[in-house]
Structure formats: structure tokens, C-alpha cells
Amino acid sequence: MLFRHCFLLLALLLFTGSIQAHPHVWIDLRVSPQVNEQGQITGLRQAWRFDPFYSLVLIEELEKGGPEDELDQRLDQLALEVVQNLENFDFFTQVTVAGKRQGFEPVTEYNLMQVGRRIEFSFVLPLQNPVTLQDERLQYQVYDPSYYIEILHAAGNELDTQQLPASCEVDVQEPSPPGDLVAKAMALDKDEKPEDPQLGEHFAETVNLDCRP
């Protein structure tokens, strides 16, 4: 019962494209490209750290769900349910290479944990087709289409480049939605559906990774 209750709380925030709008939850995003021995990007490791208020709600529900020494098991079960549902939304991620949208393999590496008094969900999103860094520019966006959740890179941590060649250039384009769209988003009630099903795209960062010579 606890798993169901906690999951419903998380689902209310994560999977709201048809019923909710404008930001009520905030996520600090960190992304680390995964690179194989051939120098190809094979996937994106992502970490989503939820804002303190939402984290507190979820932590309290998890703590009330059973003995303290079983908290890790409850977190693991919740993580599995979150992954199963986010698969239907491509984990709110779009990756394009040479203008073509890329597909993903199933997520098998993931974790949900408490960091201080915040909840962090992390996972590796594998690409169906590895990208050769020297040949193509890769672009990605991570956003909730409904814009109920605002997902932005954590300040100073736009992209972890440790596995990338030193020659790679990273360009983070900040969102610049028009004023009238901002006003419409902010005016939406909590249970009001936005007219634009891709509202969140207008508020999303766009990251370009270019390692071409």
C-alpha cells in the first residue's frame, strides 16, 4: 500500500501531461555523456534532484511506510515503478543527431535515493545507436511537455565532460519564451490543461555537444 501511495504522489508530478500545467515542481538536472572505448556516446547518465518542498513530502510518506531499516527497499520499489512509467515518455528527453531524433534502449541502470533532505532520481538512458563524436553534433533537451515540472541544469553543472575529449565544445542555450507565453503558463490553474501540448519545450534548455575537428 505504501508503494502505491508514494508512487501516486510521484506520478502526480511526473506524469501530468494530460491534467496539469506550469511549474509547481523544480528539478536540478545533471547530465554526463557515457562514452565507450571507440569514442562513441552510448547514452546519457542523468540525475534529477527534486526541490526541497516536494522532496520533503515524498520523504515523509516513505518514512511512514514501514520500519526505518526497510527504507532502502521502499526506495528501490518506488524507483522501479517510476522507471516503468517514464519509459512511456522517453524519460522527458529528446536527443537529435544531424537533425534526426534518436531512439533509446530500455533503462536498466537507475536509482532513487535521499541526499540530505532531498530526493534524487538517477538513471542511464542508453541510445539505440551510438554516436561517433568526431562525425556528428549531438543535441539534447530534457523537459516535461506539460511544464508542470521545470527541469533545468544545476547551476555550474550543465554537462559533465570528464569522459569527453578535450576538444569537445558545449553550448547551453537558455530558453527565451515570449512574454505572452510566460504569462499564459503562469496563469494556468493547477488542474488546467495547457492549450499547447508541448508547452514545456518553450521553457527548455537546449544543449549542443560538438566534438567535430
Side-chain angles (χ1 to χ4, degrees):
M1 179 64 70
L2 171 69
F3 297 152
R4 175 69 59 185
H5 186 44
C6 289
F7 173 64
L8 288 176
L9 282 172
L10 194 58
L12 175 66
L13 302 179
L14 285 178
F15 318 125
T16 52
S18 62
I19 61 172
Q20 306 278 6
H22 74 310
H24 287 283
V25 179
W26 290 264
I27 287 176
D28 289 332
L29 171 69
R30 302 192 312 278
V31 176
S32 175
Q34 304 297 285
V35 180
N36 63 17
E37 294 180 354
Q38 290 73 44
Q40 299 172 310
I41 293 182
T42 59
L44 298 177
R45 180 181 294 276
Q46 299 187 37
W48 299 4
R49 187 167 294 186
F50 289 90
D51 67 79
F53 177 77
Y54 175 67
S55 294
L56 178 62
V57 172
L58 188 55
I59 289 169
E60 288 179 346
E61 291 299 322
L62 286 165
E63 289 177 343
K64 289 188 295 186
E68 182 178 354
D69 60 1
E70 296 179 0
L71 179 60
D72 287 344
Q73 291 94 313
R74 296 195 291 276
L75 283 165
D76 290 344
Q77 179 62 35
L78 183 56
L80 173 61
E81 294 175 346
V82 171
V83 167
Q84 291 172 341
N85 280 270
L86 274 174
E87 285 176 342
N88 299 319
F89 302 90
D90 284 339
F91 290 81
F92 289 164
T93 303
Q94 288 194 28
V95 174
T96 58
V97 175
K100 296 181 180 179
R101 187 167 175 174
Q102 303 298 294
F104 305 116
E105 295 292 334
V107 168
T108 58
E109 184 179 341
Y110 56 86
N111 188 35
L112 187 71
M113 63 181 177
Q114 182 176 335
V115 181
R117 296 300 290 177
R118 296 178 69 178
I119 290 293
E120 181 170 292
F121 172 58
S122 60
F123 59 97
V124 175
L125 185 59
L127 295 172
Q128 282 184 347
N129 300 301
V131 178
T132 301
L133 292 170
Q134 288 75 20
D135 294 343
E136 304 288 355
R137 184 182 71 168
L138 182 145
Q139 181 183 89
Y140 74 82
Q141 293 179 309
V142 182
Y143 65 90
D144 168 18
S146 74
Y147 196 47
Y148 190 89
I149 306 172
E150 183 174 81
I151 306 174
L152 297 175
H153 289 81
N157 290 288
E158 288 81 2
L159 191 68
D160 181 354
T161 59
Q162 292 186 25
Q163 295 191 35
L164 299 175
S167 59
C168 292
E169 296 181 357
V170 177
D171 175 40
V172 181
Q173 299 175 6
E174 300 294 334
S176 56
D180 61 334
L181 191 61
V182 174
K184 287 181 180 179
M186 297 304 294
L188 286 166
D189 290 333
K190 202 169 185 179
D191 59 352
E192 187 175 358
K193 182 170 66 176
E195 294 180 1
D196 183 352
Q198 291 293 318
L199 177 65
E201 184 176 9
H202 302 284
F203 297 86
E205 296 167 319
T206 301
V207 177
N208 295 292
L209 175 61
D210 194 345
C211 303
R212 294 172 298 179

